[in-house]
Amino acid sequence: MARYIFITGGVVSSLGKGLASAALGALLQARGFSVRLRKLDPYLNVDPGTMSPFEHGEVFVTDDGAETDLDLGHYERFTGVSARKTDSISSGRIYTNVLEKERRGDYLGKTIQVIPHVTNEIKDFIDVGSDEVDFMLCEIGGTVGDIEGLPFFEAIRQFAQEKPRGQCVFMHLTLLPWIKASGELKTKPTQHSVKELRSIGLAPDILVCRSEGPIPQKEREKLALFCNVRPDAVIAAQDLSSIYDAPLAYHREGMDQAVLDAFQITPAPRPNLDKWEDVSERIHNPEGEVNVAIVGKYTQLEDAYKSIAEALTHGGIANRVKVNVNWVDAELFDREDAAPYLENYDAILVPGGFGERGTEGKIKAAKFAREHKVPYLGICLGMQMAVIEAARNVAGVSKAGSEEFDHEKGEKRFEPVVYHLKEWVQGNERVNRTVADDKGGTMRLGAYHAVLTEGSKVAEVYGTTAIDERHRHRYEVDVKYRKALEDAGLCFSGMSPDGRLPEIVEWPDHPWFIGVQFHPELKSKPFDPHPLFKDFVRAAKDVSRLV
């Protein structure tokens, strides 16, 4: 039976609960334990799938097709454990489940209330799969005191009460601000945060305190005294130059030992941190650097492309180079020539997105990469724009475009080289969709098989002709244009098993130009970089050494 670690946050948001949870999971794995991490988000959206990237950052997609919080990406990158639909839940999903049960009559005529019906639903979710792992780490989104988070805090309070003593531990992440004018590190915000937590029946066993520098012994003792935790359970979480230093930094601070002590696991197995030491050594001792331009439409918020940025870092780790990522607003090229902005980069990446805004700029970026032989990786919309560019400028389809843009505008302007995907095969079933369907959860989501062409660049990169990758799209390159495009030189080197859906395109006469309909960044890890990102950075490295 699993032991449970509940991670809460206080003072302010964005302190790094997801990163702390992921690093703790990695440390427990290093000691030989099995872990699973999950996220409980108090917002009322059923999932993040319908949120703007500016609102919530990227949407992380699991193999089984769940659209989840970006923290699940951290969980996977640090532990290598593939997330599932059951590892992400929101108030919206909880209330939907409760109301569906009420409509069916499952509650036998009772009045439906937050306690016990909503809290019971949350507790049932927490307990899913508890017999599969040694530790279940559950992160509660938001901060203590948020009104929407109260049902979740109450649910974990009840959950801990119902489990045998010593089976649940609470870890609270707070901020220790440095007041420059007085030259002091202030503990009062943390004291108030813990006071708020205790007022709703939760007492932290471990305090993780974010700070710019080390925590002096005097402040540690003060925090331990006023927050009622052991001095060795006050963990400093200092700012780091790389997030992949977090497991080593937290281990030096004694986080994993504090958790095991709280569970009274003695003697604890010694950790094997070799792979994290190797990752850290590669990050801090690169043998060169490359410059990559990400031409996107959500560049004002880097979290919108979090997994892509991390996957590029992983590619750098594999090639022992530092990857300098530069964010370029695609709309800039709607008005200006792309060449002056892109000519000094070693590689260009065009990521996914929705809507017409910025797409002409992405098309210009793909054209520049094709004509100037710059390594190019197009992901989802980035592949579609590369195909439209090829259709317009090489295959002679002058009005090539996407049906998505016509739907958005409400008028027909383009020849739809990219069309609305109306049906596809999922497992043994055929899925059907229309433009009028609800937006949430209706895309082609999750892991699907693809078959690669023998002898193609991607087959060489993957080292196989059969792959599984995660998808998130509702528009698709129309296979009826395949012959015209291949006659023009563009190779459709990856297809769905039934041959109906293009998955990968590449220019064989280009040093490295690949577009993929799926999202390879979602499966990359620092100790297991995705093959496409690994080889993309290698190609950029080769270019940088030619300059």
Side-chain angles (χ1 to χ4, degrees):
M1 188 176 292
R3 295 177 172 90
Y4 296 85
I5 305 167
F6 294 103
I7 300 99
T8 58
V11 187
V12 294
S13 59
S14 301
L15 284 179
K17 289 197 308 296
L19 181 58
S21 304
L24 176 57
L27 289 173
L28 292 171
Q29 281 184 325
R31 290 180 179 266
F33 297 106
S34 58
V35 301
R36 179 161 288 281
L37 293 93
R38 51 187 41 153
K39 181 74 180 288
L40 291 73
D41 268 312
Y43 53 70
L44 282 171
N45 302 67
V46 172
D47 58 44
T50 57
M51 291 190 205
S52 162
F54 291 125
E55 283 280 319
H56 202 255
E58 76 168 6
V59 174
F60 189 83
V61 180
T62 61
D63 281 334
D64 56 4
E67 294 177 290
T68 73
D69 185 85
L70 60 81
D71 278 331
L72 271 76
H74 285 313
Y75 303 164
E76 283 204 15
R77 285 188 283 273
F78 277 75
T79 66
V81 177
S82 293
R84 307 171 184 162
K85 286 183 178 180
T86 51
D87 292 329
S88 179
I89 202 75
S90 67
S91 289
R93 173 57 66 194
I94 293 292
Y95 281 102
T96 297
N97 291 352
V98 169
L99 293 174
E100 286 175 350
K101 289 180 179 180
E102 184 272 333
R103 292 289 85 185
R104 289 198 303 266
D106 291 4
Y107 295 118
L108 303 176
K110 292 185 181 297
T111 301
I112 311 305
Q113 297 177 290
V114 173
I115 302 172
H117 302 100
V118 171
T119 51
N120 282 348
E121 194 73 26
I122 296 170
K123 288 187 290 184
D124 289 345
F125 163 74
I126 292 170
D127 219 19
V128 171
S130 60
D131 57 342
E132 300 174 5
V133 294
D134 299 317
F135 288 96
M136 190 77 76
L137 285 72
C138 299
E139 177 194 345
I140 316 300
T143 55
V144 61
D146 295 345
I147 191 168
E148 62 266 29
L150 288 174
F152 289 90
F153 290 119
E154 172 61 19
I156 63 175
R157 185 196 67 79
Q158 293 178 18
F159 189 91
Q161 282 288 97
E162 293 163 6
K163 291 293 179 182
R165 186 180 294 276
Q167 201 172 336
C168 297
V169 158
F170 294 92
M171 190 168 86
H172 192 55
L173 188 74
T174 70
L175 176 68
L176 291 184
W178 171 260
I179 308 301
K180 186 176 180 180
S182 62
E184 292 180 293
L185 193 67
K186 289 296 184 181
T187 64
K188 192 61 72 176
T190 294
Q191 293 179 48
H192 280 293
S193 182
V194 171
K195 181 181 177 183
E196 181 78 24
L197 196 64
R198 292 172 70 86
S199 72
I200 55 177
L202 299 172
D205 300 285
I206 299 153
L207 271 182
V208 180
C209 303
R210 278 299 305 271
S211 64
E212 293 181 16
I215 304 174
Q217 187 62 29
K218 179 183 174 184
E219 275 68 26
R220 286 179 186 266
E221 292 170 357
K222 188 176 182 180
L223 285 165
L225 177 64
F226 286 101
C227 298
N228 200 34
V229 299
R230 296 166 59 92
D232 55 5
V234 177
I235 308 300
Q238 296 180 54
D239 295 346
L240 301 169
S241 59
S242 167
I243 63 171
Y244 300 113
D245 287 331
L248 298 175
Y250 279 130
H251 175 67
R252 286 194 297 269
E253 278 290 319
M255 176 192 276
D256 46 330
Q257 189 61 55
V259 167
L260 296 172
D261 288 346
F263 282 114
Q264 298 185 342
I265 299 176
T266 55
R270 292 182 63 82
N272 180 354
L273 296 169
D274 289 350
K275 73 177 180 181
W276 289 108
E277 287 168 354
D278 179 56
V279 166
S280 182
E281 192 273 332
R282 286 170 174 264
I283 288 173
H284 293 293
N285 298 288
E287 296 173 358
E289 57 183 55
V290 297
N291 297 304
V292 178
I294 297 182
V295 183
K297 57 197 296 183
Y298 312 117
T299 53
Q300 298 94 319
L301 182 69
E302 292 183 16
D303 273 358
Y305 301 119
K306 189 64 178 173
S307 290
I308 287 175
E310 296 308 322
L312 286 170
T313 298
H314 307 160
I317 291 170
N319 287 280
R320 284 193 170 272
V321 294
K322 179 184 179 183
V323 179
N324 299 315
V325 171
N326 293 277
W327 307 93
V328 181
D329 188 347
E331 286 187 276
L332 183 67
F333 303 152
D334 290 349
R335 306 179 297 272
E336 301 182 42
D337 181 22
Y341 294 92
L342 297 178
E343 59 188 6
N344 294 321
Y345 290 106
D346 304 315
I348 297 168
L349 189 152
V350 176
F354 295 90
E356 188 173 3
R357 181 178 65 82
T359 53
E360 290 299 323
K362 291 187 174 188
I363 289 169
K364 287 182 180 178
K367 181 182 180 184
F368 177 89
R370 175 178 62 81
E371 292 181 341
H372 293 80
K373 305 297 183 183
V374 178
Y376 176 93
L377 175 58
I379 296 173
C380 197
L381 185 67
M383 166 187 164
Q384 295 173 7
M385 295 306 97
V387 171
I388 290 172
E389 190 279 322
R392 288 182 187 177
N393 300 317
V394 185
V397 187
S398 60
K399 291 191 175 181
S402 173
E403 200 172 25
E404 178 181 8
F405 310 150
D406 282 346
H407 288 160
E408 186 178 26
K409 189 78 172 178
E411 60 181 89
K412 182 169 174 57
R413 297 166 295 153
F414 297 112
E415 185 170 341
V417 173
V418 176
Y419 73 107
H420 183 269
L421 189 56
K422 297 172 181 63
E423 66 174 27
W424 64 88
V425 175
Q426 184 172 11
N428 296 320
E429 299 180 6
R430 189 166 293 280
V431 180
N432 292 288
R433 290 282 183 261
T434 69
V435 176
D437 284 345
D438 289 344
K439 297 299 182 192
T442 58
M443 286 184 273
R444 185 170 179 245
L445 292 164
Y448 288 88
H449 300 302
V451 180
L452 310 185
T453 303
E454 193 83 50
S456 64
K457 180 68 175 178
V458 287
E460 176 192 332
V461 169
Y462 277 97
T464 181
T465 56
I467 61 170
D468 287 275
E469 293 285 1
R470 296 178 188 176
H471 295 67
R472 184 179 184 247
H473 64 110
R474 58 169 56 90
Y475 291 87
E476 174 73 61
V477 173
D478 196 333
V479 73
K480 76 180 183 183
Y481 290 92
R482 177 177 181 176
K483 185 177 187 307
L485 286 162
E486 290 202 320
D487 287 346
L490 183 66
C491 175
F492 283 61
S493 53
M495 299 291 293
S496 60
D498 61 5
R500 298 176 64 183
L501 303 180
E503 293 278 11
I504 307 174
V505 296
E506 61 182 72
W507 285 105
D509 61 347
H510 192 285
W512 210 102
F513 191 111
I514 294 173
V516 297
Q517 184 57 68
F518 46 83
H519 289 269
E521 72 274 16
L522 300 179
K523 296 178 75 169
S524 188
K525 302 166 185 67
F527 42 82
D528 184 20
H530 191 283
L532 279 173
F533 280 89
K534 181 179 178 180
D535 205 59
F536 178 59
V537 173
R538 178 206 56 75
K541 179 180 173 183
D542 289 348
V543 169
S544 72
R545 292 184 173 176
L546 291 173
V547 175

